[in-house]
Amino acid sequence: MPEESIIHSKAQHYYNVFHHERDGWVSETDVYAWVGRTTREFKLTPGTAPADALQRSLLEYWKRLFAPMDTDGDGVVSRDEFLTGFVSLGDKPDDYARIVTPSAKVFVATADVDGDGELDKSEFKRLFQSSFALSDEDIDVSFADIDADSSGSISTDELRAAIRVFHSSTDPNDRGHRLLGALRS
């Protein structure tokens, strides 16, 4: 797959997966829905430290990653704005890392029900199905891609690295392209 096709394919896939409301744009409301799905799945009580950390992290993700994509200032990110903005993320990998690292830590802390500091496949599945409604097939593809050391679990560093690759790499051999499942061309 040519470099431009990889980035475009990931951007399209991310928009479709993230955009549950299907109203033509991504907004802060989508982020609150994301928080709600995840807090319900992991039975986090609103107002507690874990629920607040998840909400703060995902709202920061919105403010620093998605909101700047709103180039017409209407408060929502259209499909075209999202695709254009996603492609430009690869130009700022260090800025992006400052946004992603805290979120990766919160994701792992939220879903790590056995407390070992990593996500086994069942924890990962619960997190990614509740957050992104991935199919079992996409969960299998994603988990295998992110588990760089083939240990059977995903560390915060592996998740952070995969998120970074997903948003910035054009090298088809990098692990992380399939963060949200198989890419469709």
Side-chain angles (χ1 to χ4, degrees):
M1 191 179 285
E3 288 180 7
E4 272 186 38
S5 295
I6 289 172
I7 292 291
H8 186 71
S9 181
K10 289 188 292 187
Q12 296 256 26
H13 188 55
Y14 192 19
Y15 181 84
N16 292 336
V17 166
F18 183 76
H19 183 238
H20 284 274
E21 310 310 319
R22 305 288 187 245
D23 50 14
W25 56 80
V26 174
S27 69
E28 192 169 344
T29 302
D30 292 302
V31 176
Y32 279 106
W34 186 8
V35 170
R37 287 187 306 272
T38 307
T39 57
R40 281 188 303 278
E41 176 63 31
F42 290 95
K43 296 175 179 38
L44 302 177
T45 304
T48 61
D52 289 350
L54 180 66
Q55 182 170 322
R56 273 192 313 278
S57 175
L58 295 181
L59 286 173
E60 187 68 14
Y61 212 77
W62 164 258
K63 290 175 191 167
R64 296 183 80 195
L65 189 66
F66 293 133
M69 294 178 184
D70 176 20
T71 56
D72 63 9
D74 65 357
V76 298
V77 179
S78 70
R79 186 175 203 283
D80 289 340
E81 287 172 323
F82 187 91
L83 297 179
T84 299
F86 184 93
V87 169
S88 73
L89 290 173
D91 299 335
K92 307 174 252 185
D94 292 331
D95 290 344
Y96 180 75
R98 283 190 285 276
I99 298 167
V100 169
T101 299
S103 293
K105 287 178 182 177
V106 169
F107 281 152
V108 171
T110 297
D112 179 23
V113 295
D114 64 10
D116 68 355
E118 297 190 341
L119 300 179
D120 64 29
K121 191 164 183 183
S122 66
E123 292 166 335
F124 178 82
K125 179 178 180 175
R126 283 183 67 196
L127 177 64
F128 273 62
Q129 283 186 331
S130 65
S131 294
F132 303 110
L134 296 186
S135 68
D136 287 344
E137 180 182 329
D138 279 338
I139 292 291
D140 291 343
V141 168
S142 180
F143 191 86
D145 195 48
I146 298 170
D147 184 14
D149 63 2
S150 301
S151 67
S153 63
I154 294 174
S155 68
T156 299
D157 287 341
E158 285 174 317
L159 182 58
R160 182 195 46 74
I163 294 169
R164 184 174 184 169
V165 164
F166 185 79
H167 285 87
S168 62
S169 176
T170 58
D171 182 343
N173 298 315
D174 282 347
R175 296 181 83 97
H177 287 300
R178 289 156 291 280
L179 174 71
L180 300 174
L183 295 177
R184 283 99 177 153
S185 44

